[in-house]
Amino acid sequence: MPDPIRILICDDHPLMLFGIRSMLENRPGLVVCGTARNGEEAFEQASLLRPDVLLFDIVMPGMDGIELARKMRAELPDVALLALSGDASAATLEPLLRIGIDGFLPKTAGDRTIEDAIRSVASGYEYFGADIARLIERISLAERAADSLFTPRELDVIRLSCKGLQYKEIADELGIKYLTVVTIKNNIFRKLGINNTVELVLYAIKKNLITL
């Protein structure tokens, strides 16, 4: 664990920003090295200050927290990412998990919980809390259930279809007959109750069967 732990805070609400900063500045071994009120400013500050932890809100004007996390992971991967949001729904959490954040806290979290989370992610551990961990497990189960709907060959056809390959191209890629691809794809459409590849692509993105 770095000593002291240097923290950059990003939140577009001035009172929230002030409150978190005031709380953290009184904790031994923690130093607030900077603050930002939007994603663009946070990334600039992080590039300059190289904090150990970025504590950031999700819903912000301009570059939101999800885009900020994606940019941080791509360009400043050594900074631990700890999201703090009033929205702890699966829709908010799923893209952050795919990006690979280190922790997530609801804005209702108490001072001690926030401090514990910061120390944990700064030490290389994840911190999600019991409620968020249960939500993550439900997301994981849903993804595994989606995978179990399909045979390995059907998943191959789904992923190649989502890359834009046509029936003959899929057959050539997999070394199977054209009519076999037609049958497999029709079975996929039947299982999902859909009629075309556009709907299949949307389903695959939603269920994380493909990455963009």
Side-chain angles (χ1 to χ4, degrees), residues 21-212:
R21 178 170 192 161
S22 298
M23 181 271 291
L24 294 177
E25 285 179 335
N26 295 322
R27 308 285 170 159
L30 303 182
V31 172
V32 177
C33 65
T35 61
R37 294 191 179 182
N38 56 62
E40 292 90 347
E41 186 179 340
F43 183 77
E44 290 176 4
Q45 291 287 323
S47 300
L48 178 66
L49 300 172
R50 300 297 172 121
D52 301 303
V53 178
L54 171 61
L55 178 64
F56 66 100
D57 193 9
I58 304 300
V59 180
M60 297 183 291
M63 183 190 293
D64 65 13
I66 293 174
E67 184 56 35
L68 171 60
R70 185 176 291 113
K71 192 171 179 65
M72 290 290 298
R73 268 293 168 262
E75 301 188 37
L76 297 171
D78 292 336
V79 179
L81 302 179
L82 179 58
L84 183 66
S85 177
D87 180 5
S89 67
T92 296
L93 193 56
E94 280 187 89
L96 291 168
L97 293 175
R98 289 197 292 270
I99 292 166
I101 63 168
D102 301 283
F104 185 101
L105 290 172
K107 282 195 171 180
T108 54
D111 295 358
R112 183 57 185 271
T113 300
I114 295 174
E115 179 185 354
D116 288 346
I118 289 171
R119 294 187 189 279
S120 181
V121 299
S123 299
Y125 300 102
E126 293 181 341
Y127 192 102
F128 289 97
D131 290 341
I132 302 300
R134 283 192 289 271
L135 179 57
I136 292 171
E137 177 61 20
R138 289 199 296 273
I139 292 171
S140 177
L141 288 171
E143 290 177 349
R144 289 199 295 271
D147 279 350
S148 69
L149 287 174
F150 308 107
T151 66
R153 181 60 80 195
E154 286 171 339
L155 287 172
D156 288 339
V157 170
I158 288 172
R159 289 167 180 145
L160 292 174
S161 296
C162 292
K163 289 182 178 180
L165 274 66
Q166 302 301 310
Y167 286 89
K168 186 177 185 306
E169 293 171 317
I170 294 172
D172 291 343
E173 180 75 18
L174 297 178
I176 58 179
K177 294 180 180 179
Y178 171 87
L179 289 178
T180 301
V181 176
V182 173
T183 299
I184 291 172
K185 202 161 183 181
N186 285 340
N187 285 339
I188 293 168
F189 287 168
R190 178 181 53 78
K191 286 181 179 182
L192 296 178
I194 62 176
N195 299 304
N196 57 62
T197 300
V198 172
E199 291 179 286
L200 178 60
V201 171
L202 292 174
Y203 173 87
I205 292 171
K206 181 178 179 182
K207 296 300 182 181
N208 202 30
L209 298 179
I210 62 170
T211 55
L212 298 178

